[in-house]
Amino acid sequence: MVTETYPMLIADEEVASERLLLRNVEPGPCLDSLESVRFIVIHCSATRPDTDYTVERLLRDHRARGFRTIGYHFYIRRSGEVSQHRRLSEVGAHARPYNRCSIGVCYEGGLDLQGRPADTRTPLQREALRRLVARLRRLFPQARVVGHRDLPGTLPKACPCFDVACLL
Ligand SMILES: [Zn+2]
C-alpha cells in the first residue's frame, strides 16, 4: 500500500491533513470518518458519444431530481477534464443506500450511438479516471473500487458499462 502523504491533491481539492479533510462542510452532511468510506463507486452518465453532456446539463438534471448540486464527487468529461462537485468529506448522492460510505466518480458516456450500454471511455478519460482512482485509493486505502452495478441491492444493470477491475 502506498504511504499517505499530506498535503495530497485530489482533483481540485488540496487535502492538507486528515483532520482538515473531516472538518465540517456546509451545507451538506459530512462523512463520519475517513474509515467510513468503504467504496469508491464508478458511474457513467448513460449518455451517447454524440451527446455533449456538459457539467451544466448534469447539474440541471441533478437539481431537477432534487439534489442541491451534482450528486457525484467527480465528473470526467470525454476530453478527460475532471471537475469536483462535492468535497471529499461530504456525503454524495449517487448510490443509495451507500452514499454515507462512498465516494462517487462519473464519466461522461456509457451508451453507444444506438443507446446500448458500452464502454465509451476515450483514452483521455481512461487516463484521468485511472489517475483519480489511484489518488483516492491512497487517501482511502480501505475502500473497494466498484462499479455502480457491483453494489448489492442497487438498481442499475449496466452502470458503469465496463469492468472496474481494469482500474486496479
Ligand atoms: Zn451509476
Side-chain angles (χ1 to χ4, degrees):
M1 194 59 67
V2 180
T3 310
E4 288 181 39
T5 51
Y6 295 98
M8 192 180 291
L9 191 65
I10 312 274
D12 299 340
E13 182 169 343
E14 186 177 271
V15 180
S17 70
E18 180 170 330
R19 191 176 56 77
L20 283 176
L21 175 64
L22 289 172
R23 112 197 112 162
N24 78 307
V25 279
E26 297 295 337
C30 188
L31 295 169
D32 296 330
S33 68
L34 288 185
E35 290 70 32
S36 65
V37 175
R38 290 164 48 214
F39 302 102
I40 296 164
V41 186
I42 312 301
H43 299 264
C44 65
S45 63
T47 51
R48 302 175 189 211
D50 56 354
T51 299
D52 196 29
Y53 196 57
T54 61
V55 168
E56 291 71 27
R57 288 184 65 183
L58 176 60
L59 176 61
R60 191 187 59 203
D61 288 348
H62 277 201
R63 284 207 171 129
R65 289 164 64 182
F67 301 163
R68 178 181 60 78
T69 183
I70 287 169
Y72 311 113
H73 292 80
F74 300 98
Y75 182 56
I76 305 175
R77 296 294 314 274
R78 287 173 57 77
S79 64
E81 185 183 341
V82 179
S83 54
Q84 182 170 358
H85 305 284
R86 303 213 176 204
R87 298 288 301 268
L88 287 163
S89 52
E90 188 177 352
V91 173
H94 58 94
R96 230 169 23 169
Y98 297 92
N99 288 322
R100 289 208 70 90
C101 60
S102 66
I103 299 292
V105 179
C106 179
Y107 75 93
E108 178 187 16
L111 298 180
D112 66 16
L113 287 169
Q114 284 72 44
R116 294 174 303 221
D119 182 0
T120 61
R121 289 174 300 152
T122 66
L124 289 168
Q125 271 179 315
R126 285 171 187 261
E127 179 58 20
L129 181 60
R130 196 191 57 73
R131 288 223 313 266
L132 176 61
V133 166
R135 290 184 176 181
L136 290 172
R137 291 181 79 205
R138 278 170 53 201
L139 193 59
F140 304 108
Q142 76 290 349
R144 272 178 54 208
V145 181
V146 296
H148 191 186
R149 64 186 178 191
D150 305 321
L151 285 169
T154 53
L155 286 175
K157 296 263 191 319
C159 178
C161 305
F162 72 97
D163 183 359
V164 298
C166 72
L167 295 172
L168 308 180

